[in-house]
Amino acid sequence: MRIALSGTVLSLLFLGASGILPDSDSLETIRVEDLRSELHFLASDEMQGRGLRTPFNELTARYLAKRLEGFGLQPGIEDSFFQPFELVQAGLGRPLKARLFDRRGRGRPLTVRADFYPAPHSADGRARARVVFAGFGIVAPELARDDYQGLDVRDKIVLVLDHEPGEDDPSSPFDGLVLSDYGREFHKIVAAQQRGAVGVLIAPDTANHSAVPLSRIARREWPADPEETRPLLGALTQQIHIPAAYVSQEIAEALLEGTDQSLGQLQQLSEEGRQFPPPDRSPQFELQIQLEREIFTARNVLARLEGSDAVLKDEWVIIGAHFDHVGTEGEQIYNGADDNASGTVGLLEVAEAYAISRWRPRRSILFALFNAEERGLLGSYYFVDHPVVPLSGVAAMLQMDMIGRDEEVPERKGFRFRGLETQAAEQNSNAVNILGYSRSERLKEWALAANQPVGLDLRFRYDNHPIGLLRRSDNWPFLTRGIPALFFHTGLHPDYHRPSDTPEKINYEKMARIVRLVYLTSWQAANQDERPDHHLFRPGVSP
């Protein structure tokens, strides 16, 4: 399909000092037949769902590196196209003990899974100390919030609430309805550790979530088969040196007896950001944790194209997609055609377009194919903590994830479609959602301008939505580091994370238009004189 660019459209597009446009030949390399061919390979049964820690995941990484090298792009890290990172897969070891002491010093042994279970990020070790309640355990200087203000937790075990304040409040400064990183287990443990605590206990968030037996959550967190546990970034687990565990509501209430207030009452004070005095005499708690850990390596795939401007080439536009999926389950193959073979082959097409263009962009381009996204954005979190280019020099990040279908939300939604309106695929046959728009007005404007010759229906929604799509792909770690980032996404559908997500269901014509949109938007970001703006979440942003 040839895209004709009128004079009006040309004036809307790249207004940088150079005045250049991507040449039509490079734009026309983004072809339906190429996308279809690449996707049928990556999402074939032979690739077995590209699951993490399988030969097929590694085969995919090598294939992608060879494709990028074949375009004539440079390695992303010195002489390598790979960025390796360690992952830790843990299982419950022995001993696992916890005891709650009454005022007479008598210890009550607690039961693993029913009363407590180890936090996945916990360090091995033993702690016995008095317990101090610290609200949500959040320290957020930019929000003028410090749950440890006025508390001395040195040599104490800290009890904190799970999640974050205002979880169901669209105007919450903690990213509205999207759970911020402040609610993550890792950050709560680190905050307590930095203040001298010797252990951390995490209590259920009873205000925002219905009561669920701890044993049910523990089975999900620590399944019977250790190979099914969620892997963690080794670089993060190495930063934690104190034991940590989740406790049931009953145990949390017992730990708060000295406050004369219930867990719910204290949570309300915490939601309001109010301080409360520590109890006169808090109970003692003993926690002993030993986990069995296995370390393995995964790899991101990175390639770069140097910019042409003597000054701006030291700035970067990152174009990203994740290539892993969930693998197999018994005889069933989760092909992951839309999630995310679609974004992966889209990135290859954009990379090829840049590589053959007669003009190089002013800023440099980094093509980033992230791994382990399905296990918690692990590859992109590792990247922002160990960047191959200075994060201060990253002007923008554009992420493609699930760009091959038409959004479809059935009437009987279930949890997978929480908060989404019922939609038929026909309503979205030419539509693509763009998330991250509320964090950068300029990037939004550039996407709108880049769409003029493409003609898609751009849907700017879901930035502040309970389904949390904004934080569910590799754009999120960049947003948390203050980098403008857009997430291109055609929406959920009944085949999402099902074996039925197969290549023949992809809307290849629309997908090609989306890939062209990403290419044109990235070209703008790479050639404008100014960098795009970025701001934190602003309370009041509509869903």
Side-chain angles (χ1 to χ4, degrees), residues 137-385:
I138 290 175
V139 180
E142 73 278 12
L143 301 177
R145 175 152 186 145
D146 183 354
D147 287 350
Y148 288 90
Q149 184 177 347
L151 293 179
D152 181 2
V153 299
R154 288 173 297 179
D155 300 321
K156 304 293 194 305
I157 292 176
V158 174
L159 175 67
V160 299
L161 293 162
D162 202 1
H163 303 135
E164 66 189 30
E167 191 175 330
D168 294 324
D169 180 2
S171 297
S172 167
F174 291 93
D175 291 312
L177 295 174
V178 179
L179 284 174
S180 74
D181 272 11
Y182 285 118
R184 293 175 65 199
E185 166 192 302
F186 170 79
H187 292 286
K188 292 177 184 286
I189 300 173
V190 168
Q193 177 177 279
Q194 289 174 339
R195 284 152 185 81
V198 296
V200 173
L201 302 175
I202 303 175
D205 172 7
T206 57
N208 298 306
H209 297 269
S210 56
V212 176
L214 192 75
S215 57
R216 185 187 304 175
I217 305 172
R219 283 196 300 271
R220 184 174 66 240
E221 200 70 68
W222 297 104
D225 183 355
E227 292 188 3
E228 295 179 4
T229 60
R230 177 168 50 95
L232 306 172
L233 277 175
L236 295 186
T237 60
Q238 292 167 13
Q239 297 178 40
I240 294 177
H241 312 296
I242 60 176
Y246 288 81
V247 295
S248 68
Q249 182 175 348
E250 176 196 355
I251 299 304
E253 295 281 9
L255 290 168
L256 295 170
E257 285 181 359
T259 65
D260 296 324
Q261 291 178 303
S262 68
L263 181 64
Q265 290 171 323
L266 286 174
Q267 174 152 0
Q268 185 57 45
L269 292 175
S270 302
E271 292 273 354
E272 298 167 1
R274 293 167 58 186
Q275 300 297 316
F276 32 82
D280 293 333
R281 183 172 175 80
S282 60
Q284 278 204 346
F285 194 89
E286 182 180 21
L287 181 63
Q288 187 171 2
I289 289 178
Q290 180 73 38
L291 299 178
E292 296 175 350
R293 296 176 175 85
E294 186 176 358
I295 298 174
F296 64 99
T297 301
R299 303 199 287 183
N300 294 326
V301 181
L302 308 174
R304 65 176 73 198
L305 176 71
E306 186 178 37
S308 61
D309 189 284
V311 175
L312 292 183
K313 70 178 182 180
D314 292 328
E315 297 183 4
W316 296 83
V317 174
I318 297 177
I319 302 171
H322 76 88
F323 65 86
D324 64 302
H325 193 52
V326 298
T328 60
E329 186 176 285
E331 298 297 318
Q332 291 186 313
I333 299 172
Y334 289 71
N335 301 87
D338 191 28
D339 185 15
N340 184 37
S342 65
T344 300
V345 302
L347 185 144
L348 291 179
E349 288 295 291
V350 172
E352 183 180 23
Y354 269 105
I356 72 163
S357 175
R358 293 192 296 272
W359 299 299
R360 277 189 299 141
R362 299 172 70 198
R363 290 184 176 87
S364 298
I365 308 293
L366 184 72
F367 301 97
L369 288 153
F370 297 112
N371 205 347
E373 186 269 357
E374 299 288 4
R375 298 303 190 98
L377 319 182
L378 300 182
S380 51
Y381 267 118
Y382 182 84
F383 179 94
V384 297
D385 284 338

Side-chain angles (χ1 to χ4, degrees), residues 295-536:
I295 298 174
F296 64 99
T297 301
R299 303 199 287 183
N300 294 326
V301 181
L302 308 174
R304 65 176 73 198
L305 176 71
E306 186 178 37
S308 61
D309 189 284
V311 175
L312 292 183
K313 70 178 182 180
D314 292 328
E315 297 183 4
W316 296 83
V317 174
I318 297 177
I319 302 171
H322 76 88
F323 65 86
D324 64 302
H325 193 52
V326 298
T328 60
E329 186 176 285
E331 298 297 318
Q332 291 186 313
I333 299 172
Y334 289 71
N335 301 87
D338 191 28
D339 185 15
N340 184 37
S342 65
T344 300
V345 302
L347 185 144
L348 291 179
E349 288 295 291
V350 172
E352 183 180 23
Y354 269 105
I356 72 163
S357 175
R358 293 192 296 272
W359 299 299
R360 277 189 299 141
R362 299 172 70 198
R363 290 184 176 87
S364 298
I365 308 293
L366 184 72
F367 301 97
L369 288 153
F370 297 112
N371 205 347
E373 186 269 357
E374 299 288 4
R375 298 303 190 98
L377 319 182
L378 300 182
S380 51
Y381 267 118
Y382 182 84
F383 179 94
V384 297
D385 284 338
H386 303 82
V388 301
V389 299
L391 290 186
S392 61
V394 179
M397 190 272 181
L398 306 180
Q399 172 76 359
M400 289 178 280
D401 193 350
M402 296 179 64
I403 59 169
R405 293 285 295 270
D406 302 325
E407 184 166 8
E408 182 182 353
V409 181
E411 288 188 14
R412 298 182 65 179
K413 302 178 181 62
F415 183 78
R416 290 158 59 84
F417 301 95
R418 183 169 66 99
L420 293 174
E421 296 180 1
T422 300
Q423 301 172 58
E426 293 76 14
Q427 295 175 252
N428 300 300
S429 60
N430 191 47
V432 58
N433 299 306
I434 297 183
L435 293 86
Y437 64 90
S438 65
R439 311 298 177 95
S440 178
E441 293 295 333
R442 191 167 290 152
L443 264 186
K444 178 182 178 181
E445 291 170 3
W446 292 350
L448 285 166
N451 188 51
Q452 293 298 314
V454 179
L456 286 159
D457 181 7
L458 305 189
R459 305 276 176 85
F460 295 97
R461 55 183 180 177
Y462 301 146
D463 266 16
N464 188 12
H465 193 278
I467 201 168
L469 287 172
L470 182 64
R471 65 162 296 153
R472 286 169 61 177
S473 194
D474 294 308
N475 54 291
W476 180 253
F478 290 88
L479 285 173
T480 65
R481 299 308 194 275
I483 295 170
L486 292 183
F487 169 19
F488 296 80
H489 173 62
T490 49
L492 302 183
H493 47 76
D495 298 314
Y496 169 62
H497 275 206
R498 302 292 192 201
S500 50
D501 179 11
T502 49
E504 70 275 7
K505 296 181 179 179
I506 297 295
N507 183 340
Y508 290 98
E509 293 285 346
K510 184 175 83 170
M511 181 176 157
R513 293 196 296 276
I514 294 170
V515 176
R516 294 177 185 127
L517 171 65
V518 173
Y519 177 47
L520 293 173
T521 304
S522 68
W523 192 276
Q524 285 230 44
N527 286 285
Q528 296 282 3
D529 289 333
E530 71 275 19
R531 289 170 61 155
D533 56 312
H534 174 270
H535 48 76
L536 299 173

